[in-house]
Amino acid sequence: AFWGSTTGLISVIFAPCPVIISFSGSDLIGTRNLSGRFTLGGIFNKIVSNLVSRMTAANITKSKEMKFILPKSAQFKTEVIPNGVNQKKFYPIKNSIAKKKLGLENCIDYILFFYTEGQHVKNNKMAMEVFRLIKDTRPNTEIIIATNIAHEDLIYYYNSCSVMIITSFHEGSNNSVKEAIACDLPIVTVNVGDVKERLENKRHCYVTNSYDILLFSN
């Protein structure tokens, strides 16, 4: 089952065979509101996922951080297996070619930020404040809010931009990080999920433990 919470619960109760649950992120960590606090639904998901993890044949989490959220009785049967990236679909291409494909301007430095309306865990407020600070000193900068993009077009976004930023309150193992790495796109991120492990020794990338907007934008 590719999700915990109630999906996982239904699976372990009704499946006629052993169940392995792959916890993806918010199902185990919870969901947040605009202020960054856990929602009641998020707390419910955490409680149910912890219960379900004890009832499975085995578990998968996307990061080590997620594994240690599970109860100790479930950790011994849990493997950390993040999602992979198909490097035939994600690879560096010339910036000007990618921009032309998307109709973007060559003279603009674009910042990439993944966010869908209502996805408060991505901390959209901080991302926009960071962008405004950067815009003050670098007027030829624009931000691309990536949402509902066809998977086959993502390669052009990664290769059109100068940097990708992540300001999330939490993550599992962010797929966009691995895709951006494959396209050689610099990443500036708060320390969530497994970003520190993924970006170790990667050039032009930066991981911070702080949510300080001034520090992040510098």
Side-chain angles (χ1 to χ4, degrees), residues 4-5 7 15 19-20 23 25 28 34 47 49 65 84 90-91 114 116 133 161-162 166 181 199:
S5 189
T7 300
V19 174
I20 298 173
F23 294 97
L28 181 58
L34 276 171
I47 292 171
S49 289
E65 177 187 55
F90 294 97
Y91 50 85
F114 280 86
T116 300
L133 283 176
C161 294
S162 299
I166 298 172
I181 291 170
L199 298 179

Side-chain angles (χ1 to χ4, degrees), residues 26-47 118-121 169-170:
S26 294
D27 52 346
L28 181 58
I29 304 172
T31 51
R32 311 254 189 167
N33 59 23
L34 276 171
S35 64
R37 296 178 179 175
F38 285 108
T39 64
L40 288 176
I43 294 170
F44 173 80
N45 284 344
K46 290 171 65 175
I47 292 171
Q119 204 175 17
H120 301 311
V121 70
F169 294 117
H170 66 250

